[in-house]
Coordinates of all heavy atoms in Angstrom, one line a residue:
Y1 N 38.0 -195.9 40.9 CA 37.2 -194.8 41.3 C 37.3 -193.6 40.5 O 38.3 -193.6 39.6 CB 37.7 -194.4 42.8 CG 37.3 -195.4 43.9 CD1 37.9 -196.6 44.0 CD2 36.4 -195.0 44.9 CE1 37.6 -197.5 45.0 CE2 36.2 -195.9 46.0 CZ 36.7 -197.0 46.0 OH 36.5 -197.9 47.0
R2 N 36.5 -192.6 40.6 CA 36.7 -191.4 39.9 C 36.3 -190.2 40.7 O 35.4 -190.4 41.7 CB 35.9 -191.4 38.5 CG 34.5 -191.4 38.7 CD 33.7 -191.5 37.3 NE 32.3 -191.5 37.4 CZ 31.4 -191.8 36.5 NH1 32.0 -192.1 35.2 NH2 30.1 -191.8 36.6
Q3 N 36.8 -189.0 40.4 CA 36.4 -187.8 41.1 C 36.2 -186.7 40.1 O 37.3 -186.3 39.4 CB 37.4 -187.5 42.1 CG 37.1 -186.3 43.1 CD 38.0 -186.3 44.3 OE1 39.0 -186.8 44.3 NE2 37.5 -185.5 45.3
A4 N 35.0 -186.2 40.0 CA 34.9 -185.1 39.2 C 35.0 -183.8 39.9 O 35.0 -183.7 41.1 CB 33.4 -185.1 38.6
P5 N 35.3 -182.6 39.3 CA 35.6 -181.4 40.0 C 34.4 -181.1 40.9 O 33.1 -181.0 40.5 CB 35.6 -180.3 38.8 CG 36.0 -181.2 37.6 CD 35.4 -182.5 37.8
G6 N 34.7 -180.7 42.1 CA 33.7 -180.4 43.1 C 32.9 -181.5 43.7 O 31.9 -181.2 44.4
K7 N 33.2 -182.7 43.3 CA 32.5 -183.9 43.8 C 33.3 -184.8 44.6 O 34.5 -184.8 44.5 CB 31.8 -184.6 42.6 CG 30.8 -183.9 41.9 CD 30.0 -184.6 40.9 CE 28.9 -183.9 40.2 NZ 28.1 -184.8 39.2
Q8 N 32.8 -185.6 45.4 CA 33.5 -186.7 46.1 C 33.9 -187.7 45.2 O 33.4 -188.0 44.2 CB 32.6 -187.2 47.3 CG 32.3 -186.2 48.4 CD 31.5 -186.8 49.6 OE1 30.8 -187.9 49.4 NE2 31.8 -186.3 50.8
R9 N 35.0 -188.5 45.7 CA 35.4 -189.5 45.0 C 34.4 -190.7 44.9 O 33.8 -191.0 46.0 CB 36.8 -190.1 45.6 CG 37.5 -191.1 44.7 CD 38.9 -191.4 45.2 NE 39.8 -190.2 45.1 CZ 41.0 -190.2 45.3 NH1 41.7 -191.3 45.6 NH2 41.8 -189.1 45.2
E10 N 34.2 -191.3 43.8 CA 33.1 -192.2 43.6 C 33.5 -193.6 43.2 O 34.4 -193.8 42.3 CB 32.1 -191.6 42.4 CG 31.1 -192.6 41.9 CD 30.4 -192.1 40.6 OE1 31.1 -191.3 39.9 OE2 29.4 -192.6 40.3
F11 N 33.1 -194.7 43.9 CA 33.4 -196.0 43.6 C 32.8 -196.4 42.2 O 31.6 -196.1 42.0 CB 32.9 -196.9 44.7 CG 33.0 -198.4 44.2 CD1 34.2 -199.0 44.3 CD2 31.9 -199.0 43.7 CE1 34.3 -200.4 44.0 CE2 31.9 -200.4 43.4 CZ 33.1 -201.0 43.5
L12 N 33.6 -197.0 41.4 CA 33.1 -197.5 40.2 C 33.0 -199.0 40.1 O 31.9 -199.5 39.7 CB 34.0 -197.0 39.0 CG 34.0 -195.5 38.7 CD1 35.0 -195.2 37.7 CD2 32.7 -194.9 38.5
T13 N 34.1 -199.6 40.3 CA 34.1 -201.1 40.0 C 35.2 -201.7 40.8 O 36.2 -201.1 41.1 CB 34.1 -201.4 38.6 OG1 34.1 -202.8 38.5 CG2 35.3 -200.9 37.9
D14 N 35.2 -203.1 41.0 CA 36.2 -203.8 41.8 C 36.3 -205.1 41.2 O 35.2 -205.8 40.7 CB 35.8 -203.8 43.3 CG 37.0 -204.3 44.2 OD1 37.8 -203.7 44.5 OD2 36.7 -205.6 44.4
I15 N 37.5 -205.7 41.3 CA 37.6 -207.1 40.9 C 38.6 -207.8 41.8 O 39.6 -207.3 42.2 CB 38.1 -207.3 39.4 CG1 38.2 -208.7 38.9 CG2 39.5 -206.6 39.2 CD1 38.4 -208.8 37.4
T16 N 38.3 -209.0 42.3 CA 39.0 -209.8 43.2 C 40.1 -210.6 42.4 O 40.0 -210.7 41.2 CB 38.3 -210.7 44.1 OG1 37.7 -211.8 43.3 CG2 37.1 -210.0 44.8
T17 N 41.1 -211.2 43.2 CA 42.0 -212.0 42.6 C 41.4 -213.2 41.8 O 42.0 -213.6 40.8 CB 43.0 -212.6 43.6 OG1 43.5 -211.5 44.4 CG2 44.0 -213.5 43.1
Y18 N 40.2 -213.7 42.3 CA 39.6 -214.8 41.6 C 38.6 -214.4 40.5 O 38.0 -215.2 39.9 CB 38.8 -215.6 42.7 CG 39.7 -216.1 43.8 CD1 39.8 -215.4 45.0 CD2 40.7 -217.1 43.6 CE1 40.5 -215.8 46.0 CE2 41.5 -217.5 44.6 CZ 41.5 -216.8 45.9 OH 42.3 -217.3 46.8
G19 N 38.5 -213.1 40.2 CA 37.7 -212.6 39.1 C 36.3 -212.2 39.5 O 35.6 -211.8 38.5
S20 N 35.9 -212.1 40.7 CA 34.7 -211.7 41.0 C 34.6 -210.1 40.8 O 35.5 -209.4 41.3 CB 34.3 -212.0 42.4 OG 34.2 -213.4 42.6
T21 N 33.5 -209.6 40.3 CA 33.4 -208.2 40.0 C 32.2 -207.6 40.7 O 31.1 -208.3 40.9 CB 33.4 -207.9 38.6 OG1 32.3 -208.6 37.9 CG2 34.7 -208.4 37.8
I22 N 32.2 -206.3 40.8 CA 31.1 -205.5 41.3 C 31.2 -204.2 40.6 O 32.2 -203.7 40.4 CB 31.1 -205.4 42.8 CG1 29.8 -204.7 43.2 CG2 32.3 -204.7 43.4 CD1 29.5 -204.7 44.8
Y23 N 30.0 -203.6 40.2 CA 29.9 -202.4 39.5 C 28.9 -201.4 40.0 O 27.9 -201.8 40.6 CB 29.4 -202.6 38.1 CG 30.4 -203.4 37.2 CD1 30.3 -204.7 37.1 CD2 31.4 -202.7 36.5 CE1 31.2 -205.5 36.2 CE2 32.2 -203.4 35.7 CZ 32.3 -204.8 35.6 OH 33.1 -205.4 34.7
A24 N 29.2 -200.1 40.0 CA 28.3 -199.1 40.5 C 27.2 -199.0 39.4 O 27.4 -199.2 38.2 CB 28.9 -197.8 40.6
D25 N 26.1 -198.7 39.8 CA 24.9 -198.6 38.9 C 25.2 -197.6 37.7 O 24.7 -197.8 36.6 CB 23.6 -198.2 39.6 CG 23.1 -199.3 40.5 OD1 23.5 -200.4 40.2 OD2 22.3 -199.0 41.4
S26 N 25.9 -196.5 38.0 CA 26.2 -195.5 37.1 C 27.0 -195.9 35.9 O 26.9 -195.3 34.8 CB 26.9 -194.3 37.7 OG 28.1 -194.7 38.2
I27 N 27.6 -197.1 36.0 CA 28.5 -197.6 34.8 C 28.2 -198.9 34.3 O 28.7 -199.4 33.3 CB 30.0 -197.5 35.2 CG1 30.3 -198.5 36.4 CG2 30.5 -196.1 35.6 CD1 31.8 -198.8 36.5
K28 N 27.2 -199.5 35.0 CA 26.7 -200.9 34.5 C 26.4 -200.9 33.1 O 25.6 -200.0 32.6 CB 25.6 -201.5 35.4 CG 26.0 -202.0 36.8 CD 24.9 -202.5 37.5 CE 25.3 -203.1 38.9 NZ 24.1 -203.6 39.6
G29 N 26.9 -201.9 32.3 CA 26.5 -202.0 30.9 C 27.4 -201.2 29.9 O 27.3 -201.4 28.8
R30 N 28.2 -200.3 30.6 CA 29.0 -199.4 29.7 C 30.5 -199.7 30.0 O 31.4 -199.6 29.1 CB 28.7 -197.9 29.9 CG 27.3 -197.5 29.7 CD 27.1 -196.1 29.6 NE 27.5 -195.5 30.9 CZ 28.3 -194.5 31.2 NH1 29.0 -193.9 30.2 NH2 28.5 -194.0 32.4
F31 N 30.9 -199.9 31.3 CA 32.2 -200.1 31.6 C 32.5 -201.5 32.0 O 31.6 -202.1 32.6 CB 32.6 -199.2 32.8 CG 32.7 -197.7 32.5 CD1 32.2 -197.2 31.4 CD2 33.1 -196.9 33.6 CE1 32.1 -195.9 31.2 CE2 33.1 -195.4 33.3 CZ 32.7 -195.0 32.1
T32 N 33.7 -202.0 31.7 CA 34.0 -203.4 32.1 C 35.4 -203.5 32.6 O 36.3 -202.9 32.2 CB 34.1 -204.3 30.8 OG1 32.7 -204.4 30.3 CG2 34.3 -205.8 31.2
I33 N 35.5 -204.1 33.9 CA 36.8 -204.3 34.5 C 37.3 -205.6 34.2 O 36.6 -206.5 34.1 CB 36.7 -204.0 36.0 CG1 38.1 -203.9 36.6 CG2 35.8 -205.1 36.7 CD1 38.1 -203.5 38.2
S34 N 38.6 -205.7 34.0 CA 39.3 -207.1 33.8 C 40.6 -207.0 34.5 O 41.2 -205.9 34.8 CB 39.4 -207.4 32.3 OG 40.2 -206.4 31.6
R35 N 41.2 -208.2 34.6 CA 42.5 -208.3 35.3 C 43.4 -209.3 34.7 O 42.9 -210.4 34.3 CB 42.2 -208.6 36.8 CG 43.3 -208.6 37.7 CD 42.8 -208.8 39.2 NE 43.9 -208.9 40.1 CZ 43.7 -208.8 41.4 NH1 42.6 -208.6 41.9 NH2 44.8 -208.9 42.2
D36 N 44.6 -208.9 34.6 CA 45.6 -209.9 34.1 C 46.6 -210.1 35.2 O 47.5 -209.3 35.4 CB 46.3 -209.3 32.8 CG 47.3 -210.3 32.1 OD1 47.8 -211.1 32.9 OD2 47.6 -210.2 31.0
N37 N 46.5 -211.2 35.9 CA 47.3 -211.4 37.1 C 48.8 -211.6 36.8 O 49.6 -211.2 37.5 CB 46.8 -212.7 37.8 CG 45.5 -212.3 38.6 OD1 45.2 -211.2 38.9 ND2 44.7 -213.4 38.8
A38 N 49.0 -212.2 35.5 CA 50.4 -212.4 35.2 C 51.1 -211.1 34.9 O 52.4 -211.1 35.1 CB 50.4 -213.3 33.9
K39 N 50.4 -210.1 34.5 CA 51.0 -208.7 34.2 C 50.8 -207.7 35.4 O 51.1 -206.6 35.3 CB 50.4 -208.1 33.0 CG 50.8 -208.9 31.7 CD 50.2 -208.2 30.5 CE 50.6 -208.9 29.2 NZ 50.0 -208.3 28.0

């Protein structure tokens, strides 16, 4: 998530244990989430 000054906290992206992802429209195509379960 992120929070800019004077604004509410905004959801960006999420990834499940199995690797399923979801992105907010504001960051699609620019941001990528990934996960290393071993670490």
Side-chain angles (χ1 to χ4, degrees):
Y1 287 66
R2 69 184 179 191
Q3 188 166 18
K7 295 188 176 181
Q8 291 187 331
R9 192 168 296 189
E10 172 192 16
F11 168 80
L12 297 178
T13 181
D14 183 85
I15 185 167
T16 69
T17 304
Y18 302 103
S20 297
T21 59
I22 186 170
Y23 293 92
D25 289 342
S26 60
I27 65 166
K28 278 183 181 176
R30 299 190 299 126
F31 293 9
T32 303
I33 190 171
S34 61
R35 182 170 179 166
D36 186 336
N37 289 332
K39 295 182 178 180

